[in-house]
Amino acid sequence: MQIENDQLNNMLSTYKNKVDEISFYYNYPSNISHLLYLIVPGFILKYGLKNESAILKCFEDVPIVINDNQDKIYQAYYFSKPKYENNILKTIKGIVLNNYQNISLIDLLDNLVHEINHAVNSFNNEIIEKDNCIYVRTGLSNIIYDKRTLEVIKKENESIIEEVINTKQTEDIINIISSFQQYEIKDIQITNTIYSINKNTNSNYSSNAYYLQGIVTSKLLENKTFIRTLEDLRFKGHVEEIDYWFDSITGENNSFKKLSDNLSLALSLELSLTKKKIFKGKLINKIRSLNQESLQIVDTFNNNCNYR
Protein backbone atom coordinates (compact mmCIF):
# COMPACT_ATOMS: atom_id res chain seq x y z
CA MET A 1 0.00 0.00 0.00
CA GLN A 2 1.63 3.25 -1.18
CA ILE A 3 1.22 6.30 1.02
CA GLU A 4 2.17 9.98 0.86
CA ASN A 5 4.09 11.82 3.58
CA ASP A 6 1.07 13.80 4.86
CA GLN A 7 -1.10 10.68 4.81
CA LEU A 8 1.38 8.78 6.95
CA ASN A 9 1.66 11.64 9.45
CA ASN A 10 -2.14 11.77 9.71
CA MET A 11 -2.27 8.00 10.25
CA LEU A 12 0.43 8.11 12.91
CA SER A 13 -1.37 10.93 14.74
CA THR A 14 -4.77 9.22 14.57
CA TYR A 15 -3.55 5.82 15.70
CA LYS A 16 -1.32 7.32 18.39
CA ASN A 17 -4.44 8.72 20.03
CA LYS A 18 -6.10 5.32 19.74
CA VAL A 19 -3.07 3.57 21.23
CA ASP A 20 -3.05 6.04 24.13
CA GLU A 21 -6.66 5.08 24.93
CA ILE A 22 -5.85 1.36 24.80
CA SER A 23 -2.62 1.78 26.78
CA PHE A 24 -4.41 3.74 29.50
CA TYR A 25 -7.11 1.07 29.75
CA TYR A 26 -4.63 -1.82 30.05
CA ASN A 27 -1.93 0.20 31.86
CA TYR A 28 0.80 -0.62 29.33
CA PRO A 29 4.34 0.59 30.06
CA SER A 30 5.62 3.36 27.81
CA ASN A 31 8.02 1.25 25.74
CA ILE A 32 5.16 -1.01 24.65
CA SER A 33 2.95 2.00 23.86
CA HIS A 34 5.74 3.57 21.80
CA LEU A 35 6.07 0.42 19.71
CA LEU A 36 2.29 0.20 19.30
CA TYR A 37 2.34 3.74 17.82
CA LEU A 38 4.14 2.11 14.87
CA ILE A 39 2.70 -1.40 15.00
CA VAL A 40 -0.92 -0.29 14.54
CA PRO A 41 -0.29 1.70 11.31
CA GLY A 42 2.06 -1.10 10.18
CA PHE A 43 -0.86 -3.56 10.38
CA ILE A 44 -3.24 -1.17 8.63
CA LEU A 45 -0.79 -0.71 5.77
CA LYS A 46 -0.19 -4.47 5.54
CA TYR A 47 -3.87 -5.48 5.44
CA GLY A 48 -5.49 -2.34 4.02
CA LEU A 49 -7.90 0.32 5.25
CA LYS A 50 -10.84 -1.95 4.38
CA ASN A 51 -9.82 -4.09 7.38
CA GLU A 52 -9.14 -1.17 9.73
CA SER A 53 -12.12 -1.75 12.05
CA ALA A 54 -11.32 -5.46 12.55
CA ILE A 55 -7.65 -4.69 13.24
CA LEU A 56 -8.41 -1.93 15.76
CA LYS A 57 -11.00 -4.14 17.47
CA CYS A 58 -8.33 -6.77 17.88
CA PHE A 59 -5.96 -4.32 19.59
CA GLU A 60 -8.84 -3.29 21.86
CA ASP A 61 -9.95 -6.82 22.75
CA VAL A 62 -6.63 -8.67 23.08
CA PRO A 63 -4.60 -7.42 26.07
CA ILE A 64 -0.82 -7.67 26.28
CA VAL A 65 0.02 -9.36 29.59
CA ILE A 66 3.50 -8.93 31.05
CA ASN A 67 4.59 -12.12 32.78
CA ASP A 68 8.26 -11.75 33.63
CA ASN A 69 8.93 -15.49 33.83
CA GLN A 70 12.33 -16.59 32.56
CA ASP A 71 11.04 -18.90 29.82
CA LYS A 72 13.95 -20.00 27.61
CA ILE A 73 11.70 -21.38 24.84
CA TYR A 74 8.72 -19.02 24.58
CA GLN A 75 9.43 -15.28 24.81
CA ALA A 76 5.79 -14.62 23.97
CA TYR A 77 2.60 -16.42 22.99
CA TYR A 78 -0.97 -15.70 21.93
CA PHE A 79 -3.84 -17.60 23.55
CA SER A 80 -7.56 -17.86 22.99
CA LYS A 81 -9.53 -20.20 25.25
CA PRO A 82 -13.25 -21.01 25.15
CA LYS A 83 -15.55 -20.27 28.06
CA TYR A 84 -19.28 -20.20 28.71
CA GLU A 85 -20.73 -16.92 29.90
CA ASN A 86 -24.47 -17.07 30.68
CA ASN A 87 -24.58 -20.21 28.47
CA ILE A 88 -23.07 -18.25 25.58
CA LEU A 89 -19.79 -19.54 24.15
CA LYS A 90 -17.03 -16.93 24.08
CA THR A 91 -13.24 -16.83 24.19
CA ILE A 92 -10.71 -15.32 26.58
CA LYS A 93 -7.77 -13.90 24.62
CA GLY A 94 -4.41 -12.42 25.39
CA ILE A 95 -0.76 -12.04 24.44
CA VAL A 96 1.73 -13.02 27.13
CA LEU A 97 5.24 -11.54 27.20
CA ASN A 98 7.92 -13.53 29.04
CA ASN A 99 11.46 -12.30 29.79
CA TYR A 100 10.10 -8.81 29.23
CA GLN A 101 12.85 -6.97 31.11
CA ASN A 102 15.68 -8.88 29.43
CA ILE A 103 14.94 -8.76 25.70
CA SER A 104 16.13 -6.20 23.18
CA LEU A 105 13.90 -3.62 21.52
CA ILE A 106 13.89 -5.48 18.19
CA ASP A 107 13.04 -8.79 19.91
CA LEU A 108 10.21 -7.07 21.76
CA LEU A 109 8.95 -5.63 18.45
CA ASP A 110 9.21 -9.04 16.76
CA ASN A 111 7.36 -10.76 19.62
CA LEU A 112 4.57 -8.20 19.68
CA VAL A 113 4.06 -8.15 15.90
CA HIS A 114 4.23 -11.95 15.65
CA GLU A 115 1.66 -12.60 18.38
CA ILE A 116 -0.65 -9.72 17.41
CA ASN A 117 -0.59 -11.08 13.86
CA HIS A 118 -1.85 -14.44 15.14
CA ALA A 119 -4.68 -12.58 16.87
CA VAL A 120 -5.58 -10.43 13.84
CA ASN A 121 -5.68 -13.50 11.59
CA SER A 122 -7.93 -15.33 14.05
CA PHE A 123 -10.48 -12.54 14.46
CA ASN A 124 -13.04 -13.70 11.87
CA ASN A 125 -14.87 -17.05 12.21
CA GLU A 126 -12.86 -17.94 15.28
CA ILE A 127 -15.13 -20.64 16.77
CA ILE A 128 -16.80 -23.64 15.14
CA GLU A 129 -18.96 -26.15 17.05
CA LYS A 130 -19.01 -29.63 15.50
CA ASP A 131 -19.48 -33.23 16.70
CA ASN A 132 -19.56 -32.33 20.40
CA CYS A 133 -16.31 -30.44 19.94
CA ILE A 134 -15.33 -26.78 19.88
CA TYR A 135 -12.74 -25.70 17.32
CA VAL A 136 -10.91 -22.49 18.27
CA ARG A 137 -8.94 -21.15 15.34
CA THR A 138 -5.50 -19.59 15.46
CA GLY A 139 -4.81 -18.61 11.86
CA LEU A 140 -4.61 -21.82 9.83
CA SER A 141 -4.90 -24.26 12.72
CA ASN A 142 -7.42 -25.21 15.38
CA ILE A 143 -7.20 -26.33 18.95
CA ILE A 144 -10.02 -28.79 19.53
CA TYR A 145 -11.85 -28.75 22.88
CA ASP A 146 -14.46 -31.01 24.44
CA LYS A 147 -17.74 -29.10 24.18
CA ARG A 148 -18.89 -30.08 27.66
CA THR A 149 -15.71 -29.92 29.76
CA LEU A 150 -13.78 -27.40 27.62
CA GLU A 151 -10.67 -29.56 28.02
CA VAL A 152 -8.16 -29.72 25.15
CA ILE A 153 -8.50 -32.77 22.90
CA LYS A 154 -5.78 -32.03 20.34
CA LYS A 155 -3.87 -29.35 18.47
CA GLU A 156 -3.88 -29.67 14.68
CA ASN A 157 -0.61 -30.11 12.77
CA GLU A 158 -1.36 -27.03 10.65
CA SER A 159 0.00 -25.05 13.61
CA ILE A 160 3.54 -25.33 12.18
CA ILE A 161 2.69 -23.98 8.72
CA GLU A 162 0.68 -21.31 10.56
CA GLU A 163 3.89 -20.31 12.34
CA VAL A 164 5.84 -20.23 9.07
CA ILE A 165 3.26 -17.97 7.39
CA ASN A 166 3.00 -15.82 10.50
CA THR A 167 6.78 -15.38 10.63
CA LYS A 168 6.80 -14.24 6.99
CA GLN A 169 4.06 -11.70 7.67
CA THR A 170 5.87 -10.52 10.80
CA GLU A 171 8.88 -9.73 8.63
CA ASP A 172 6.63 -7.87 6.17
CA ILE A 173 5.10 -5.70 8.91
CA ILE A 174 8.45 -4.90 10.57
CA ASN A 175 9.85 -3.92 7.17
CA ILE A 176 6.86 -1.62 6.65
CA ILE A 177 7.60 -0.02 10.04
CA SER A 178 11.31 0.29 9.17
CA SER A 179 10.38 2.02 5.90
CA PHE A 180 8.85 4.92 7.90
CA GLN A 181 12.38 6.30 8.23
CA GLN A 182 12.11 7.42 4.58
CA TYR A 183 9.38 9.91 5.51
CA GLU A 184 9.47 13.25 7.31
CA ILE A 185 7.71 12.35 10.53
CA LYS A 186 6.49 15.33 12.57
CA ASP A 187 6.14 13.55 15.91
CA ILE A 188 9.57 13.50 17.59
CA GLN A 189 8.56 10.68 19.95
CA ILE A 190 7.69 8.46 17.02
CA THR A 191 10.81 9.56 15.12
CA ASN A 192 13.00 8.49 18.05
CA THR A 193 11.35 5.07 18.19
CA ILE A 194 11.83 4.55 14.44
CA TYR A 195 15.50 5.52 14.84
CA SER A 196 15.96 3.05 17.71
CA ILE A 197 14.38 0.24 15.70
CA ASN A 198 16.40 0.85 12.55
CA LYS A 199 19.62 1.15 14.55
CA ASN A 200 19.11 -2.50 15.51
CA THR A 201 17.89 -3.95 12.18
CA ASN A 202 19.10 -4.38 8.65
CA SER A 203 17.29 -2.70 5.75
CA ASN A 204 15.43 -5.97 5.14
CA TYR A 205 14.42 -7.55 8.45
CA SER A 206 14.60 -11.33 8.71
CA SER A 207 13.38 -13.37 11.68
CA ASN A 208 15.20 -16.42 13.03
CA ALA A 209 11.98 -18.14 14.06
CA TYR A 210 11.20 -21.51 12.41
CA TYR A 211 14.34 -21.17 10.31
CA LEU A 212 14.49 -24.69 8.81
CA GLN A 213 10.75 -24.80 8.12
CA GLY A 214 11.05 -21.42 6.39
CA ILE A 215 13.77 -22.77 4.10
CA VAL A 216 11.69 -25.84 3.18
CA THR A 217 8.65 -23.70 2.31
CA SER A 218 10.55 -20.70 0.88
CA LYS A 219 9.34 -21.29 -2.70
CA LEU A 220 5.74 -21.33 -1.49
CA LEU A 221 6.23 -18.11 0.47
CA GLU A 222 7.57 -16.46 -2.71
CA ASN A 223 4.74 -17.84 -4.85
CA LYS A 224 2.23 -15.00 -5.41
CA THR A 225 -0.67 -17.38 -6.07
CA PHE A 226 -0.02 -19.24 -2.84
CA ILE A 227 0.71 -16.35 -0.50
CA ARG A 228 -2.08 -14.03 -1.70
CA THR A 229 -4.76 -16.71 -1.67
CA LEU A 230 -3.65 -18.15 1.66
CA GLU A 231 -3.42 -14.73 3.31
CA ASP A 232 -6.92 -13.84 2.13
CA LEU A 233 -8.54 -17.11 3.26
CA ARG A 234 -6.69 -17.01 6.57
CA PHE A 235 -7.60 -13.40 7.37
CA LYS A 236 -11.27 -13.97 6.53
CA GLY A 237 -11.36 -17.25 8.45
CA HIS A 238 -12.21 -19.47 5.47
CA VAL A 239 -9.42 -21.94 6.22
CA GLU A 240 -11.62 -24.95 5.48
CA GLU A 241 -11.24 -24.08 1.77
CA ILE A 242 -7.42 -24.26 1.79
CA ASP A 243 -6.99 -28.04 1.52
CA TYR A 244 -9.25 -28.37 -1.53
CA TRP A 245 -7.67 -25.32 -3.22
CA PHE A 246 -4.10 -26.48 -2.61
CA ASP A 247 -4.82 -30.10 -3.58
CA SER A 248 -6.57 -28.99 -6.79
CA ILE A 249 -3.32 -27.33 -7.88
CA THR A 250 -0.97 -30.16 -6.88
CA GLY A 251 -3.40 -32.71 -8.35
CA GLU A 252 -2.83 -34.90 -5.30
CA ASN A 253 -5.38 -35.55 -2.55
CA ASN A 254 -4.33 -34.60 1.00
CA SER A 255 -1.14 -32.89 -0.23
CA PHE A 256 -1.64 -29.84 2.01
CA LYS A 257 -2.30 -32.09 5.01
CA LYS A 258 0.78 -34.15 4.16
CA LEU A 259 2.88 -30.99 3.98
CA SER A 260 1.53 -29.82 7.35
CA ASP A 261 2.09 -33.24 8.96
CA ASN A 262 5.65 -33.45 7.62
CA LEU A 263 6.58 -29.99 8.87
CA SER A 264 5.11 -30.74 12.28
CA LEU A 265 6.88 -34.08 12.69
CA ALA A 266 10.20 -32.71 11.37
CA LEU A 267 10.09 -29.86 13.89
CA SER A 268 9.26 -32.28 16.70
CA LEU A 269 12.23 -34.46 15.79
CA GLU A 270 14.45 -31.40 15.40
CA LEU A 271 13.61 -30.28 18.95
CA SER A 272 14.24 -33.78 20.30
CA LEU A 273 17.80 -33.77 18.92
CA THR A 274 18.94 -31.57 21.81
CA LYS A 275 17.57 -34.07 24.33
CA LYS A 276 18.72 -37.33 22.74
CA LYS A 277 22.22 -38.63 23.43
CA ILE A 278 21.92 -41.60 21.09
CA PHE A 279 20.24 -42.37 17.76
CA LYS A 280 20.94 -38.82 16.54
CA GLY A 281 21.93 -40.16 13.11
CA LYS A 282 18.56 -41.86 12.67
CA LEU A 283 16.74 -38.72 13.75
CA ILE A 284 18.69 -36.55 11.32
CA ASN A 285 18.01 -38.98 8.45
CA LYS A 286 14.30 -38.98 9.28
CA ILE A 287 14.23 -35.18 9.35
CA ARG A 288 15.98 -35.07 5.97
CA SER A 289 13.49 -37.56 4.52
CA LEU A 290 10.49 -35.57 5.78
CA ASN A 291 11.93 -32.31 4.46
CA GLN A 292 12.60 -33.92 1.08
CA GLU A 293 8.97 -35.07 0.85
CA SER A 294 7.84 -31.55 1.77
CA LEU A 295 10.08 -30.02 -0.91
CA GLN A 296 8.54 -32.36 -3.51
CA ILE A 297 5.04 -31.18 -2.56
CA VAL A 298 6.19 -27.55 -2.76
CA ASP A 299 7.78 -28.12 -6.18
CA THR A 300 4.63 -29.83 -7.48
CA PHE A 301 2.48 -26.87 -6.38
CA ASN A 302 4.89 -24.37 -7.93
CA ASN A 303 5.22 -26.25 -11.21
CA ASN A 304 1.44 -26.46 -11.59
CA CYS A 305 0.86 -22.74 -10.94
CA ASN A 306 0.24 -20.54 -13.97
CA TYR A 307 1.04 -17.41 -11.94
CA ARG A 308 4.01 -17.48 -9.59
Side-chain angles (χ1 to χ4, degrees), residues 14-189:
T14 299
Y15 297 133
K16 183 180 181 182
N17 292 334
K18 187 66 179 177
V19 167
D20 284 340
E21 293 174 11
I22 296 169
S23 296
F24 179 79
Y25 181 79
Y26 288 118
N27 195 29
Y28 290 155
S30 60
N31 60 343
I32 288 180
S33 297
H34 291 172
L35 289 177
L36 289 176
Y37 292 156
L38 298 169
I39 290 171
V40 173
F43 269 83
I44 302 296
L45 290 170
K46 166 66 177 173
Y47 293 108
L49 283 170
K50 64 181 179 180
N51 296 308
E52 179 189 43
S53 60
I55 291 169
L56 292 179
K57 189 76 166 62
C58 189
F59 279 93
E60 292 170 358
D61 291 355
V62 182
I64 298 165
V65 181
I66 295 173
N67 178 15
D68 210 23
N69 289 345
Q70 301 303 305
D71 194 314
K72 295 181 180 179
I73 299 176
Y74 298 106
Q75 287 188 343
Y77 61 89
Y78 163 72
F79 69 87
S80 181
K81 300 176 181 178
K83 71 168 185 175
Y84 287 108
E85 192 173 286
N86 298 323
N87 292 321
I88 298 173
L89 184 62
K90 297 184 177 181
T91 54
I92 306 171
K93 311 171 197 289
I95 291 166
V96 176
L97 287 178
N98 290 318
N99 306 321
Y100 168 70
Q101 301 294 344
N102 299 319
I103 60 175
S104 67
L105 179 67
I106 192 61
D107 283 343
L108 179 57
L109 176 63
D110 186 300
N111 285 333
L112 286 172
V113 172
H114 187 96
E115 303 309 331
I116 292 167
N117 198 53
H118 278 310
V120 165
N121 281 281
S122 310
F123 185 82
N124 296 306
N125 298 329
E126 184 190 21
I127 302 176
I128 296 175
E129 298 180 59
K130 183 173 64 176
D131 300 330
N132 295 317
C133 294
I134 297 168
Y135 293 71
V136 180
R137 184 176 72 85
T138 298
L140 296 175
S141 68
N142 295 294
I143 298 180
I144 305 171
Y145 295 83
D146 182 280
K147 189 173 182 179
R148 183 177 60 84
T149 65
L150 298 185
E151 292 183 358
V152 175
I153 297 174
K154 66 175 290 191
K155 186 176 184 178
E156 294 180 338
N157 283 340
E158 283 80 3
S159 60
I160 303 306
I161 200 163
E162 161 65 16
E163 292 295 349
V164 172
I165 297 296
N166 204 64
T167 298
K168 168 66 167 60
Q169 292 178 326
T170 297
E171 293 172 347
D172 292 343
I173 293 166
I174 291 177
N175 284 323
I176 288 171
I177 291 169
S178 295
S179 74
F180 292 166
Q181 69 176 333
Q182 302 169 14
Y183 296 83
E184 294 181 12
I185 306 299
K186 296 177 182 178
D187 190 307
I188 189 65
Q189 200 174 49

Side-chain angles (χ1 to χ4, degrees), residues 275-305:
K275 303 174 184 177
K276 299 283 186 180
K277 294 183 179 180
I278 57 175
F279 305 124
K280 283 194 173 183
K282 288 185 177 179
L283 285 175
I284 291 170
N285 287 336
K286 180 61 177 176
I287 292 169
R288 285 174 177 166
S289 176
L290 288 166
N291 287 338
Q292 190 59 44
E293 285 183 25
S294 296
L295 285 167
Q296 289 173 358
I297 295 171
V298 169
D299 284 342
T300 299
F301 183 93
N302 272 343
N303 291 336
N304 289 352
C305 271

